[in-house]
Amino acid sequence: MRHFFPELNAWIDQIDDPRFAPMVVYHKRFLVWWGLGLFFCRLGSRRQLDFQFAADGPQVVGNFNRLADTAQQSRPVNQTLEYFLRKVGSAPIAGLRQQMVRRLIRMKALDEARLHGRFVVLVDGTGYLVFGHRHCAHCLTQRHGETTLYMHQVLEAKLLGPADTVISIATEFIDNRDVPVATGQERAKQDCELKALRRLLGGLRKDFPQLPVCLSGDGLYACGEGFQVAKDYRCDFVYVFQPGRLPALWQDFQALLRLCPDQRWERVTPDGVRQVYRWVNGLRYTDSAGRQWAFEAIACTETKKDGTESEWSWLTSLKVSHATVVGVAMQGGRQRWREENEGFNAQKNSGLNLEHAYSHTCWAAYYFLLQIAHLLLQLVEKGSLLRRLAEAQGKRTAVQWFGSLKNMAQRLLESLRYVAWTEETLAQFGAGPIQIRFDTS
Ligand SMILES: [Zn+2]
């Protein structure tokens, strides 16, 4: 964590300086940290900056100066941050995220979660901003009876790290420029996301040309275009296989499963769930554009202790065998549900307030600040330092120790307001040459 401060500050320095009209000029490093504080203290709205970071918190300015390596005498108001972000735009903030992720990859902090040498990248879309009025020319519209909602969606690529970390690595905003005219709603949604997927991976490959990637996505990507996009951007994939989406292929799959009864693996998970895996190698498929594909398909039946059964299936470009089936299905397939749990949900529900419109003009910049702050929070929450401190208190995890993520944010805010963070306090984040280690036990 401490490791990031000088580097993050150096990266912020690379942002082009906007011309400032206000009388008091704030250093851009100070403003970026101020903006990150909005999220790492989980303040919930931009207005809260003016109250929670106000003068009744005597150490706030000093502590931000220490983080940003600046010498600001006064505190900005939330409009100062807004003004700054409007001037610089969202691209440099996205660039900061990219540099942080690149750093984590380079220091091998995420290697433990690799699947067959590849990084598992979850792809998923979510509703992001919803307004009761049209707020820009590109809102997606949705009719609900008498009312029309104006929305923005986002498609995210999230890299799966160790200890359930979920790290935003590429982002595409979806708006009405993606919607083809005159198609049904479900169809339109799929076309939208597939188009956005192509842009998303284009961006990911520009930033990370050599990264070995295995995409993990839901059933909507299991189609000709979904396979083609993965191929074009040199990605492997594990996509959910839904009977209804590819009915003829599903029938082939079921027939072939019966022909290869040896391709079966059974196990009981540590929490007592019985899993039966069956698979088919080299399942062939010709898509609507006449392109030929061959991949592996896995079916998994789960029986919980109470007798409830569930079934899962995936299509994958990874090789499936007795030795690899569990890894591919669990790390590549099942993990995609983690994005909902650890990624979007965590960002919607834990005070990060993803769906809040932090700004009507430069919301994308706030979106990336949120992603960076969430990454920092995960490093703190799941890193080895807090775990060791928690263990000293007889607790297993930092969250158990503090009671909740919200409590952790509150303690952080209290500390930011009232405790002067000395050089040693900051250094304690990682005494000596830094290693970020995740709690994977
Ligand atoms: Zn809009």
Side-chain angles (χ1 to χ4, degrees), residues 129 131 133-140 150-152 175 363:
L129 297 177
F131 303 97
H133 56 276
R134 178 176 289 283
H135 96 296
C136 75
H138 304 299
C139 293
L140 293 161
Y150 298 87
M151 299 184 311
H152 285 252
D175 59 36
W363 37 269

Side-chain angles (χ1 to χ4, degrees), residues 198-247:
R198 188 167 275 285
R199 290 202 307 271
L200 181 79
L201 293 185
L204 186 135
R205 276 294 173 231
K206 208 168 110 245
D207 291 340
F208 301 93
Q210 302 304 330
L211 195 73
V213 167
C214 177
L215 300 174
S216 174
D218 70 21
L220 95 87
Y221 302 111
C223 63
E225 172 62 5
F227 303 135
Q228 188 64 46
V229 175
K231 186 180 171 193
D232 290 346
Y233 292 103
R234 294 170 282 114
C235 297
D236 281 290
F237 61 82
V238 180
Y239 294 147
V240 172
F241 188 4
Q242 289 168 326
R245 183 126 171 94
L246 298 164

